[in-house]
Amino acid sequence: MGRMRNLLIPGVDKTLLVRDAVKSMPDLTRRRFITGGASLGALTLLTGCDVTDSFSAEEMLKQVSKFNDGVQALIFNPHAMAPTYPESAITKPFPFNGYYDIDDAPEIDGKSWKLEVRGLVDNKKSWTLDELYQLPQVKQVTRHICVEGWSAIGSWTGVPLRDFLKLIGADTRAKYVWFQCADRDGYNSPLDMPSALHAQTQMSFKFGDEILPRAYGFPMRIRVPTKLGFKSPKYVISMEVTNDYKGGFWEDQGYNSFSGS
Amino acid sequence: MSAVTVSDEQATSTKAKVIQPAWVRALHWTNAFAMVLMIMSGWQIYNASPLFGFTFSSSITLGGWLGGALLWHFAAMWLLMVNGLIYLVMGLVTGRFRRKLLPITPEGVISDTKAALTGKLSHADLTRYNQVQKLLYAGVIIVGILIVLSGLAIWKPVQFQYLTALFGGYEAARYVHFFCMAGIVAFMVIHVVLALLVPKSLRAMIIGR
């Protein structure tokens, strides 16, 4: 047993390695993740990689995930449309989904709510809901695919994000549009510019021809049918056009940032 | 003169003794490692939204939670795919698939299955697969191709939407992916049991002879 341990991570202070890995892990799950990490560390050792500068499996997995961001950006075809469906295909009831109960979903007063606009844009004025409702809207019936694996077909109506970005004079050469939301613990999520400019990416104000209910993100959600569901933030309160990667609620916990469909 | 002839014969017989060439062994064990990572992380991903009325015990899954499992799955997939592609190309180019896995006939499979079940199947020459082996090895290669394609269909149902449609849509592709996994796990169980029953076949996959 002692010998096995030596074989696992020679030259690396095990305590430090584990402490390092534990830092950014979600609580309940740390142990299994690290077990796997240690044996992979051993494998890398066998292949002769240098593990002295605090190698950890988590770091390697993060690097691969970044690599996968790049691969997905290459695969992404701005002209490929997410398949659309007839209204009869809409999933009923469409599931509420969040990291909190529906009773804890934000209750936003549409009268006082304003969409804040920041960053690399010409016009930083805030938008009231009535002003946003005046803009031309389009409807889409597309499949919402959750990172968990399940999917549901829904109908969303709203303003194409690229039209709005044009309207506010956003620098579309910037890398990201970063959304901040009213969810508890402060949900946020970055959206890469090519996806933000996709024809089907939308600022949604309606679900199934009705004003977006609280469960689905009233007063405004972003709908990105070319990405997994967690990249479609609800209860949006601000957007920022930026070149900086500002992270996101789930992205920071390990979900792949691009998460394209 | 006669000495030369003898050593030629020796050389030929030594060469003939190699049952599994080095490239097959390297790719086999790399594949085994990648497959175990893919299956264990896949079970954890399955648990986030089970297709059936059961989940996999966390003692046999990898990643700890959905996010960790996805990181493992989408890292190990590169190893699995690159290794698998090299295997397919090598198998076709060297003629190994044709030589080792073909022909497969229903009569041959039936008679070899009977022989296996009555303990009469010969394992004298490990360089030649019996009909049951041929069927299982060819079958698992096809299932292996299917599991990668259905995986790509689930991963990119918009960018690869024609592939996804080929599997009958996103939801259907999830079931195809699951059943391919089940088939591969069933193969692995049989494969490992039989390799242990005929240990020299396991030795051949490790040291080649």
Side-chain angles (χ1 to χ4, degrees), chain A residues 26 29 32-33 40 43 61 64-65 67-68 72 75-77 81 83 145 147-151 225 253-255 260-261, chain B residues 33 48-49 58 61-68 70-72 74-75 78 155-161 170-171 174:
Chain A
T29 57
R32 287 292 309 161
F33 198 78
L40 200 85
L43 181 92
L61 291 174
V64 178
S65 195
F67 170 75
N68 287 340
Q72 293 175 92
I75 291 174
F76 178 77
N77 174 359
M81 293 297 128
I145 298 174
V147 65
E148 293 172 335
W150 58 265
S151 76
Q253 295 181 60
Y255 285 171
S261 286
Chain B
F33 176 69
S49 179
S58 63
T61 64
L62 177 67
W65 70 298
L66 175 62
L70 287 166
L71 288 175
W72 280 106
F74 292 135
W78 292 113
W155 188 42
K156 291 283 163 275
V158 174
Q159 303 305 330
F160 301 160
Q161 53 189 278
Y170 173 81
E171 289 292 342
R174 290 181 71 202

